[in-house]
C-alpha cells in the first residue's frame, strides 16, 4: 500500500515510459538530460537539443494528466567523456527545462568530481538566473565530497537534496561513479 504522505517519482526516458507509468497512478515524473553533449549522447543517445524535442510530447502528456515534472541535469561538475562542463551550459539547460514545464531542476554531479569550491562557483554563476525554490542538488559521493557540496548548496539557499539509502546507486555510463550522498 502507498503511504499518502510520500511522493513516488518515476524516471521516464520518453513518451512510452510515461504511458507505462500512467497506468501505475503516478503523480510525479523525472526527465533527464545533461549539460554535456558527450554524456547526453552516451546516456540517452541524442544531443541536448534533441533531448528537448523528445521531452516535448512527454511533458505535454504529463501536464494533461496533472503530473509534476522534475528535470535532471547530469554532469554539472564534470563529464567522464569531455572533462570540464561550462557553467553556461548548466544554466542554459536548467533554464530550458524550467521553460518547458519542469517544476524543479535537480543539478547532478553525476561522476562525483565536484568539490565545495567547484560547486560554489557553479551556484554563484547560475543561481542569479534560476528561482532558488526550483533548484535541487544531486551529489554523487565518488571522492567523498558530496556532503561538503550539500553544505555549499545550503549556504546558497537550496533546500532540496537527492540522497540514497547507504549511498547506493551510480550511473552505468559513468564508470567508477558511486551513488548519491547517503540519506543517513
Amino acid at each position: 500500500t502507498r503511504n499518502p504522505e510520500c511522493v513516488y517519482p518515476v524516471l521516464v526516458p520518453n513518451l512510452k515510459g510515461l504511458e507505462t507509468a500512467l497506468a501505475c497512478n503516478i503523480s510525479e515524473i523525472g526527465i533527464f538530460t545533461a549539460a554535456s553533449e558527450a554524456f547526453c549522447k552516451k546516456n540517452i543517445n541524442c544531443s541536448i537539443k534533441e533531448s528537448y524535442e523528445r521531452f516535448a510530447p512527454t511533458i505535454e502528456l504529463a501536464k494533461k494528466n496533472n503530473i509534476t515534472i522534475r528535470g535532471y541535469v547530469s554532469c554539472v561538475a564534470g563529464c567522464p567523456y569531455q572533462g570540464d562542463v561550462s557553467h553556461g551550459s548548466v544554466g542554459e539547460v536548467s533554464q530550458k527545462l524550467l521553460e518547458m514545464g519542469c517544476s524543479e531542476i535537480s543539478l547532478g554531479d553525476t561522476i562525483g568530481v565536484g568539490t565545495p569550491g567547484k560547486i560554489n562557483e557553479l551556484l554563484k554563476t547560475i543561481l542569479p538566473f534560476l528561482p532558488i525554490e526550483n533548484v535541487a542538488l544531486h551529489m554523487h559521493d565518488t571522492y567523498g565530497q558530496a556532503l561538503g557540496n550539500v553544505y555549499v548548496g545550503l549556504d546558497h539557499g537550496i533546500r532540496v537534496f537527492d540522497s540514497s539509502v547507504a549511498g547506493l546507486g551510480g550511473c552505468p555510463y559513468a564508470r567508477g561513479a558511486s551513488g548519491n550522498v547517503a540519506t543517513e
Side-chain angles (χ1 to χ4, degrees), residues 44-183:
I44 57 176
N45 202 30
C46 65
S47 70
I48 295 170
K49 183 177 183 228
E50 290 168 334
S51 74
Y52 303 144
E53 294 164 5
R54 287 184 183 180
F55 296 150
T58 303
I59 290 170
E60 182 180 335
L61 182 59
K63 286 179 178 179
K64 282 182 186 172
N65 284 276
N66 296 314
I67 304 294
T68 303
I69 308 157
R70 189 178 207 231
Y72 290 83
V73 182
S74 299
C75 295
V76 303
C79 171
Y81 307 106
Q82 78 178 46
D84 290 335
V85 175
S86 80
H87 297 168
S89 179
V90 175
E92 287 170 18
V93 171
S94 299
Q95 286 177 321
K96 180 66 175 177
L97 291 175
L98 285 171
E99 288 168 11
M100 292 181 76
C102 291
S103 61
E104 186 172 72
I105 304 301
S106 182
L107 303 173
D109 179 14
T110 309
I111 59 174
V113 295
T115 62
K118 198 176 208 180
I119 298 302
N120 184 53
E121 288 304 311
L122 170 67
L123 295 177
K124 278 180 12 186
T125 302
I126 67 170
L127 287 180
F129 307 100
L130 299 171
I132 191 76
E133 65 274 8
N134 300 98
V135 178
L137 289 182
H138 182 107
M139 301 284 106
H140 284 238
D141 204 27
T142 309
Y143 301 103
Q145 299 294 304
L147 197 54
N149 294 337
V150 167
Y151 186 81
V152 168
L154 283 167
D155 275 351
H156 281 275
I158 295 172
R159 296 295 179 257
V160 177
F161 303 91
D162 299 341
S163 65
S164 63
V165 174
L168 296 173
C171 177
Y173 293 98
R175 183 176 297 183
S178 66
N180 296 335
V181 66
T183 305

